[in-house]
Amino acid sequence: MVDRFLNYLALERKYSPLTVKNYGKDLQEFEAYFKSLGDQDLSWQTVDADIIRNWMERMMDKGNTATSINRRLSALRSFYRFALKRRLVESDPAHAVVGPKRKKPLPMFLKEQEMEQLLNPLMWTDSYDDVLARTILIIFYETGIRLSELVSLDEKDVDFVNNEMKVTGKRNKQRIIPFGKEMEDTLKSYLVKRSELQDVKDHALLVSKKGTRMLPATVRVIVQRKLALVTTLKKKSPHVLRHTFATAMLNHEAGLEGVKKLLGHESLATTEIYTHTTFEQLKKVYKTAHPRAET
C-alpha cells in the first residue's frame, strides 16, 4: 500500500523525488511504531486513532516540534485518503486526529536599560540625521505605534497643548495617544531642525533631508542600525519597539485594557501575548533571585 501511494505521488501528482522520499520516511516511521507495540493483529487496515495519538505523544516526549509532528500527521492523512478512496482500507483513522498547536513565539523586546542607553542624549550629535533618528526611536518607544502609522503622521496630528498624538491605524481607525515631556521636547527640537530644511514638500511630520515624507524602508534601516548598537536580538525592527513599549507598560502595572487601546488592537487576546512575555521575565527573575529556585 505504501509503495502504491508513493508511486501515485511521484507519477500522478508529480511530487518531487525529495518530497516523495520524505512521505515514505514518515510512513515507515509510523509503521515501525505500530509494529513495535507487539500486537500481531495491528496493520495499516486495523490501526485506530488512539494509536496515532499515542505515536504523536511519543514524538512530543522525544522533543519533536509541533511543526515536525504536524508534517508527519499530514503524510498519514494523505496516505489514508488515498487508501480509502481505493478501498484498500475500510476506514480512515487519521482524519479525526488533531495535531498539536504550534506555539506562537513570544514577542522580542529590548530591556529598559538598553533603551535608556540608546536614547541617552549624550550619545547623539546635533546633525539632522541624528535628531531625526532619535525622534523616530522615541516616538516608537513612547507611543507603541506601527511603522505604517508613523510614516503617515502629519504635523497637524501632534497637539502640543494637550500633549496628544492622533494616529490613523488599520482600516483608517483613529485613536489618540498621550505623550510625555521627553517626547514633547524631542519633537520640538526636531521641528526646529526641520524648519531649517530648504524645501519641505508636504505636511508630513517626519521628512528626509530632501523634505519628502519618510519611506517605511528608510525608517526600517534607521531603526535596525540604531538598535544594533545596544542589543543582540536577531530582529531589530520598528515592531520590536512596539513590543518594547507594550512590555514596558505592563511591567509598570499598566492595565491590559489600556495597553490594548494605546496599541490599537481590536481584540484583547492580541494584547494578552505581552502578559506571557512579562511572566517569562518574572520567572527568570525568580530563578535568579530565590535561593531555593534551583533545588
Side-chain angles (χ1 to χ4, degrees):
M1 276 200 299
V2 173
D3 287 342
R4 281 185 63 179
F5 173 64
L6 297 178
N7 285 333
Y8 159 77
L9 294 181
L11 302 176
E12 294 187 39
R13 298 297 301 275
K14 306 297 184 184
Y15 282 16
S16 71
L18 180 59
T19 301
V20 174
K21 181 181 177 181
N22 287 334
Y23 269 83
K25 183 180 177 183
D26 292 338
L27 294 173
Q28 286 168 8
E29 285 183 6
F30 178 65
E31 186 175 27
Y33 169 73
F34 72 68
K35 285 184 176 179
S36 74
L37 298 177
D39 187 339
Q40 298 299 320
D41 294 328
L42 276 181
S43 66
W44 287 107
Q45 290 87 350
T46 59
V47 159
D48 61 23
D50 284 339
I51 289 174
I52 297 175
R53 292 188 187 98
N54 290 338
W55 177 54
M56 290 165 53
E57 287 177 13
R58 184 183 179 190
M59 286 190 284
M60 284 188 274
D61 290 341
K62 288 183 175 181
N64 286 277
T65 64
T67 301
S68 172
I69 295 169
N70 280 316
R71 190 203 74 226
R72 292 169 185 171
L73 178 60
S74 176
L76 206 57
R77 284 174 176 157
S78 297
F79 168 76
Y80 270 110
R81 279 198 301 270
F82 167 87
L84 188 64
K85 192 172 182 179
R86 286 155 182 78
R87 300 188 178 183
L88 301 174
V89 295
E90 292 182 1
S91 63
D92 174 3
H95 82 280
V97 177
V98 178
K101 288 186 178 179
R102 295 171 187 166
K103 286 185 178 179
K104 289 185 178 180
L106 291 175
M108 293 183 180
F109 61 93
L110 275 75
K111 299 173 183 174
E112 289 182 39
Q113 55 266 39
E114 291 172 333
M115 290 304 302
E116 290 295 324
Q117 178 186 348
L118 179 61
L119 297 175
N120 186 338
L122 298 177
M123 302 293 290
W124 299 80
T125 70
D126 196 36
S127 68
Y128 183 78
D129 286 342
D130 261 18
V131 171
L132 172 64
R134 188 171 183 273
T135 302
I136 288 170
L137 292 172
I138 282 183
I139 292 175
F140 275 135
Y141 183 46
E142 292 205 16
T143 65
I145 62 175
R146 302 176 179 93
L147 172 60
S148 59
E149 295 169 343
L150 178 98
V151 296
S152 66
L153 287 171
D154 290 332
E155 280 186 88
K156 63 180 175 57
D157 294 326
V158 180
D159 175 4
F160 285 114
V161 175
N162 299 302
N163 274 18
E164 295 174 346
M165 180 179 284
K166 184 170 69 176
V167 176
T168 304
K170 293 182 177 179
R171 290 178 288 280
N172 290 322
K173 288 187 176 181
Q174 292 188 329
R175 64 188 189 278
I176 303 296
I177 301 177
F179 56 83
K181 186 69 167 62
E182 182 182 24
M183 186 166 144
E184 176 191 355
D185 293 342
T186 300
L187 280 169
K188 286 180 176 178
S189 297
Y190 159 74
L191 288 172
V192 170
K193 279 286 181 184
R194 182 181 179 279
S195 68
E196 296 171 2
L197 296 175
Q198 292 185 351
D199 187 17
V200 177
K201 297 179 175 59
D202 58 36
H203 299 293
L205 176 65
L206 301 171
V207 298
S208 67
K209 273 185 177 179
K210 295 179 180 179
T212 57
R213 187 181 294 272
M214 293 293 292
L215 296 172
T218 306
V219 175
R220 283 194 196 95
V221 171
I222 290 171
V223 171
Q224 186 177 28
R225 287 176 179 171
K226 296 305 180 183
L227 295 192
L229 299 174
V230 296
T231 182
T232 57
L233 289 176
K234 289 183 180 180
K235 286 187 70 176
K236 303 175 183 69
S237 67
H239 219 67
V240 168
L241 290 173
R242 181 168 162 86
H243 296 326
T244 303
F245 162 82
T247 304
M249 290 290 288
L250 289 170
N251 281 342
H252 289 275
E253 301 182 358
L256 200 60
E257 184 64 37
V259 175
K260 168 183 171 288
K261 289 179 180 177
L262 290 171
L263 290 172
H265 286 160
E266 290 188 4
S267 168
L268 196 62
T270 309
T271 317
E272 282 176 342
I273 190 170
Y274 296 108
T275 63
H276 300 307
T277 301
T278 53
F279 184 66
E280 287 300 315
Q281 268 194 314
L282 194 62
K283 286 200 293 186
K284 288 179 182 177
V285 170
Y286 173 78
K287 286 181 178 180
T288 303
H290 197 282
R292 298 185 66 82
E294 299 296 335
T295 59

